[in-house]
Amino acid sequence: MFLLARRSNKFQDRILRQCIRSYQSRHFVCMNARDQATTTSTMKHGGILNVRGGTRGAVATTYGRRCPDFRGQRGYAVQTGFGQPTFETRPHMLKEGELTPGISALEYHFRRHKLIEQLPVGAAAILVGNELKYRSGAVFYEFHQNPNFFYLSGFNEPGAVMVIEKPLENDYKFHLYVQPKDERKELWEGPRTGVDGVLEVFNADEAGDIKFIRKYLDDIVARAKSIYMDIPPGNSEIASLFHPHVRQATMEYNIHELIKHHKKETTLRPLTRFVQSLRAVKSEAELKVMLQAGKISGHAITNAYGRRFSKEADLNAYLDYAFRTGGCEKSAYVPVIAGGKNALGIHYTRNDDVLNDGEMVLIDAGGQYGGYCADISRAWPVNGKFNEPQKDLYQAVLNVQKECIKLATTTNSLESIHRSSVDLFAVELRNIGFNASLSDINAVLYPHYVGHHLGLDVHDCPDEPRRQNLKTGNVITIEPGIYVPADDPKFPKHFRGIGIRIEDNVYIQDDSPIVTSAAAVKEIDDIEQACGSARNDM
């Protein structure tokens, strides 16, 4: 096959900035060429090439081969460094063609294309990436990208703005404005991808220095017929770049000022619901990534059964260690490690108490792989052996959970599954001696919802309606739980103070859901068998 490449108007640079290889689907994707005068390039969608001036050239390429005119430019970029892993710099993490683990550059292109299919011609979608947050002084928190921004670009560095314009039907222009290469700052902070890097690696049509975001957005707003954007909360460093002399500048103020300046008869329209509708339905590649996150996390939890921990903090540290050494980047969220009565707090995260013989420990934890989260809850006896009350209550929760997983199909909604879980608990609890009304179950014993969407966020796509039927490709959690107050005489004494939640991650198909977290065993016999190999090595 042939990819068409643009040469700059002045023929100053005949070197192709990037060759994106053809895939088995034979789709054409993006081909960028350097243009120092305009910092623009060309993009090809589904076989259609948009050339904004300049001359066309044709270069033959096949999958896995570099374009002959590449001249080592990628090698130069590798030497200068990127701000995140690439195949060239981290081949143990990424395969050739992937921008992030398991997700190809081609898939990110299709995501952007699916977004613009939902927007009218002339629309501009503006997304603001997250910035570093500081604990104190120069000490910062670990960076986490805006999930919508990450979903559409794969770009995982702070201080960036993305714009996706729809100039024509079935076509888009992708802008990415980032922090530039800076030798002095990179000496201290590590490599940045920089402006040339995002053209080369992330297939932007246009890239620029974030310091000039006012000018870039001024031009974009001037030609836009409609603007879709979600305003980041509070003040932001990027917003202050619009008006460097206004200390309390906000992004909302700046964008509205641009709209007013250009006398646009438009208002900002929310973007999140469009992106979340895409994020809620996972592709085959995303399913594989989430299966990997679930597998690594599940094995770590099962292995934790086989160790004896005397403190919540020790178990917390072990799980984080096991997630990372298993292949995850990190823990997906601050976990719950709750021994005894601490399990009665749904989101107890202090994780600083002792674990007592004769009590149970409840954990809610998972690793993050390729940006995607696992979210698993399990409960087991600290000493490795269920006593009778623990066994009865655990089995009741497990029975409800397994029935709810069977209901996780395209013929049901999260709301209908939740209602079923309450009804199932009414039967299961009555069978083990509870005299609990539906009100007791909803308000006291089971105060949370049966599940939520899962993906790049732990609580993914919160705007997806709970009452709509699930779709093939959704990934949800199923996590019923029972929490018996320690001092309420309404409930049987031998169950008081026990909290149990069992949570799995479930990929939705028509009638055969896939449990992506099945590596974390949950049957009583399996747990006790795993606990039987306990080692006192922590």
Side-chain angles (χ1 to χ4, degrees), residues 470-490:
L470 296 167
K471 302 172 185 175
T472 296
N474 289 160
V475 177
I476 63 171
T477 65
I478 296 293
E479 51 179 307
I482 291 294
Y483 314 87
V484 187
D487 54 2
D488 193 332
K490 184 184 297 185

Side-chain angles (χ1 to χ4, degrees), residues 281-293:
V281 178
K282 273 61 178 180
S283 66
E284 289 185 13
E286 287 179 290
L287 171 59
K288 290 178 181 177
V289 172
M290 297 194 73
L291 281 166
Q292 187 71 357

Side-chain angles (χ1 to χ4, degrees), residues 91-103:
H92 66 285
M93 296 175 63
L94 296 168
K95 296 178 182 178
E96 191 168 13
E98 291 179 349
L99 278 186
T100 59
I103 308 297

Side-chain angles (χ1 to χ4, degrees), residues 36 96 125 236 252 260 271 274 305 347 409 419 444 495:
Q36 294 175 338
E96 191 168 13
S236 77
E252 184 172 20
K260 182 179 177 182
L271 180 64
F274 294 103
Y305 297 149
H347 283 164
T409 68
R419 289 198 304 268
V444 181
F495 292 124

Side-chain angles (χ1 to χ4, degrees), residues 228-280:
Y228 293 79
M229 180 180 182
D230 300 306
I231 300 296
N235 303 329
S236 77
E237 184 177 339
I238 293 174
S240 68
L241 294 173
F242 283 74
H243 298 285
H245 304 297
V246 181
R247 180 170 294 179
Q248 297 299 318
T250 66
M251 184 62 75
E252 184 172 20
Y253 169 81
N254 285 317
I255 294 296
H256 281 300
E257 282 294 300
L258 285 180
I259 292 173
K260 182 179 177 182
H261 172 72
H262 291 289
K263 299 179 180 179
K264 291 285 181 178
E265 296 181 1
T266 184
T267 58
L268 288 180
R269 305 179 186 183
L271 180 64
T272 290
R273 65 185 180 91
F274 294 103
V275 184
Q276 286 197 7
S277 69
L278 299 177
R279 284 174 52 190

